[in-house]
Amino acid sequence: MSRVRSSIYDVLRGSFLTDESAFKNWRILVFIVALLLIMISSAHSADAKVVKIAELNREKRRLRAENVDTSTILMRMKLESSIRKKVKGKKLKPAKTPPKKIKVTLKKE
């Protein structure tokens, strides 16, 4: 039991970093720390991408709603009844005869 206690005490005190096999321990610790830094960096990068995707989705929904509103306004403006109301003050009326197509032909010399 005292051997277990002494080994735990050695680990807590950090003597495993200063004994004769410390070089092996340092290599492993540096490797683990490097892996941890890479993992933390990739996690932050993934979080930033998730936030950017959420912002772009919000912007897409806003633009889609704006597009629907604008197209609705345009459709109302193109209605014949709204056009008649706008030109009523200018004393314009719908034509009695339908328009005719004019064909232009060029003679080549």
Side-chain angles (χ1 to χ4, degrees):
M1 191 70 165
S2 66
R3 184 175 183 154
V4 173
R5 223 180 243 169
S6 67
S7 65
I8 291 174
Y9 182 67
D10 287 343
V11 169
L12 291 176
R13 201 172 58 171
S15 64
F16 69 97
L17 297 174
T18 58
D19 64 358
E20 58 273 354
S21 64
F23 184 66
K24 291 179 188 176
N25 295 337
W26 277 105
R27 286 193 327 198
I28 291 172
L29 286 175
V30 169
F31 179 70
I32 290 173
V33 168
L35 287 178
L36 287 173
L37 290 174
I38 290 170
M39 187 179 79
I40 290 169
S41 170
S42 66
H44 284 298
S45 174
D47 287 342
K49 288 177 184 177
V50 167
V51 169
K52 182 71 172 171
I53 288 170
E55 289 174 4
L56 289 174
N57 279 333
R58 240 181 280 121
E59 181 72 12
K60 182 181 78 167
R61 283 194 301 269
R62 187 189 65 78
L63 289 173
R64 183 170 287 157
E66 183 180 336
N67 179 33
V68 169
D69 290 342
T70 306
S71 63
T72 303
I73 291 169
L74 178 65
M75 291 300 284
R76 286 182 184 158
M77 288 172 64
K78 287 172 30 176
L79 288 175
E80 186 179 347
S81 60
S82 66
I83 294 174
R84 283 186 186 200
K85 287 178 187 176
K86 288 180 184 177
V87 297
K88 192 174 186 180
K90 297 179 183 176
K91 297 183 180 175
L92 292 175
K93 294 182 181 176
K96 302 281 184 198
T97 59
K100 294 183 180 179
K101 226 183 227 186
I102 299 174
K103 254 189 189 177
V104 177
T105 56
L106 297 175
K107 291 183 181 178
K108 295 184 181 180
E109 292 181 29

